[in-house]
Amino acid sequence: TGQRFSLQVEKVLFHARSAYQDVLLFQSTSYGKVLVLDGVIQATERDEMAYQEMISHLPLFAHPNPRKVLIIGGGDGGVLREVAKHPSIDTIHMCEIDKMVIDVSKEFMSDTLATSYEDPRLTLVVDDAAKFVTQDGHCTYDCIIVDSSDPVGPAEALFEAAFFQSLHKALNPGGIICTQAECQWLHLDFISKVYRACCDIFTEVEYAYTAIPTYPSGQIGFMLLYKGPETSAAEDDGKCDDLRPLTSLRVAARTPSAEVQASLKFYNPALHTAAFALPEFARRKLDEARAQVKPRS
């Protein structure tokens, strides 16, 4: 990308190569413990909430009553920590390809990010998510959160149209997906390509972003995807009481309880809506991509 960001290392706590990637965790002088995969910062204890809270609560609070949630990636435990704050959720499935990331996070960040691995609602699967979501036998989900690294190496398949088709099948009607979607300053052509592909698959597609100092250009984006109800209210015999026509992914369907809001350091309902307000260059690019989509028959 032609730019560089650096943190001062106080002490290397762990460094090894897994079957998939280089895994480094160090104590920094100003950002707490830092997790780095293949040379790219994934999380720091100082600013991780700007990412973990937004990628989790944008879809979860946009849904009126999420019960079953799938987390893809997220081995550091941050998304799991945030998902576990929702009392309506009774099932959490998590699929992470790299067990080393889980183990290192549990060993060194058990009091910050990896706090919820003992949650009884959790079923943890160590597997390739691109294969997991196509397998028979698992349930369908109200929300799917894809906490992937950049689209190279083990995460490359998580940005392809075939993967989004599989996610669509794994999603309940009225369900919402949120996936990590790169930085509008650096990857707008790539974002536009993914956005265009998702518009062919999902009922509603939106792009949001958050500010986070240790990610490239100080920002990271999210693609939010909504699967509309497949039956009418007259046809579902009351079985889909949680479904309602989605006004917009941009507006929270629920607000955090006082207890949950007190536990948050970044997300709030006002920020939920603000996250979708794009600068004009990005808005125009995505509008152009949407205009290429053929009308649904």
Side-chain angles (χ1 to χ4, degrees):
T1 60
Q3 61 187 54
R4 177 179 293 180
F5 176 86
S6 62
L7 292 175
Q8 185 173 352
V9 178
E10 184 176 284
K11 181 181 180 181
V12 174
L13 301 174
F14 181 90
H15 193 196
R17 181 156 191 91
S18 73
Y20 303 97
Q21 57 201 339
D22 183 85
V23 180
L24 168 66
L25 192 138
F26 66 87
Q27 180 71 44
S28 70
T29 58
S30 56
Y31 275 81
K33 297 185 184 75
V34 181
L35 176 66
V36 182
L37 301 180
D38 279 342
V40 179
I41 293 173
Q42 303 298 309
T44 84
E45 291 179 318
R46 181 176 175 180
D47 66 1
E48 52 85 10
M49 74 290 294
Y51 175 79
Q52 314 285 5
E53 292 185 17
M54 293 298 278
I55 197 174
S56 303
H57 299 309
L58 285 174
L60 290 173
F61 280 115
H63 195 288
N65 190 24
R67 295 171 181 168
K68 291 178 169 48
V69 175
L70 171 63
I71 302 169
I72 292 174
D76 57 46
V79 169
L80 173 60
R81 179 193 67 198
E82 298 305 318
V83 169
K85 293 177 180 179
H86 290 255
S88 67
I89 295 171
D90 56 44
T91 301
I92 305 171
H93 290 172
M94 179 172 169
C95 183
E96 163 64 54
I97 196 171
D98 197 338
K99 187 174 184 295
M100 183 180 288
V101 175
I102 298 171
D103 293 341
V104 169
S105 299
K106 290 168 70 173
E107 179 176 357
F108 294 101
M109 297 188 291
S110 61
D111 58 342
T112 52
L113 281 96
T115 61
S116 299
Y117 273 106
E118 301 306 316
D119 192 297
R121 297 169 292 178
L122 173 66
T123 300
L124 178 62
V125 177
V126 178
D127 199 356
D128 181 349
K131 296 178 180 178
F132 173 79
V133 295
T134 64
Q135 295 171 357
D136 295 330
H138 63 71
C139 64
T140 51
Y141 303 95
D142 301 311
C143 287
I144 300 174
I145 301 169
V146 185
D147 178 15
S148 66
S149 52
D150 292 330
V152 293
E156 186 174 4
L158 306 186
F159 291 85
E160 296 176 354
F163 180 66
F164 287 107
Q165 290 279 12
S166 298
L167 291 183
H168 186 272
K169 293 179 182 178
L171 197 63
N172 286 326
I176 300 171
I177 295 169
C178 186
T179 180
Q180 187 274 110
E182 299 299 303
C183 175
Q184 60 191 321
W185 290 103
L186 302 174
H187 313 110
L188 191 55
D189 286 342
F190 176 79
I191 293 167
S192 177
K193 178 182 177 182
V194 174
Y195 182 90
R196 167 69 178 80
C198 289
C199 284
D200 280 332
I201 301 169
F202 293 90
T203 308
E204 183 176 350
V205 180
E206 295 281 3
Y207 185 83
Y209 69 100
T210 189
I212 176 167
T214 55
Y215 282 6
S217 292
Q219 287 186 358
I220 193 71
F222 311 107
M223 203 79 71
L224 281 97
L225 315 169
Y226 172 69
K227 179 178 180 177
E230 296 174 346
T231 60
S232 68
E235 293 172 330
D236 68 25
D237 295 325
K239 297 177 182 178
C240 296
D241 291 338
D242 294 335
L243 295 182
R244 50 98 171 102
L246 189 74
T247 302
S248 175
L249 291 165
R250 302 182 179 204
V251 179
R254 302 177 294 119
T255 57
S257 66
E259 181 182 5
V260 170
Q261 189 64 67
S263 75
L264 301 176
K265 299 178 181 178
F266 200 87
Y267 176 91
N268 60 47
L271 194 58
H272 183 118
T273 300
F276 295 89
L278 302 182
E280 185 62 15
F281 73 90
R283 186 201 64 79
R284 188 180 297 124
K285 183 78 170 179
L286 297 186
D287 281 354
E288 291 171 357
R290 186 186 293 273
Q292 298 171 17
V293 178
K294 295 180 180 179
R296 297 176 184 270
S297 58

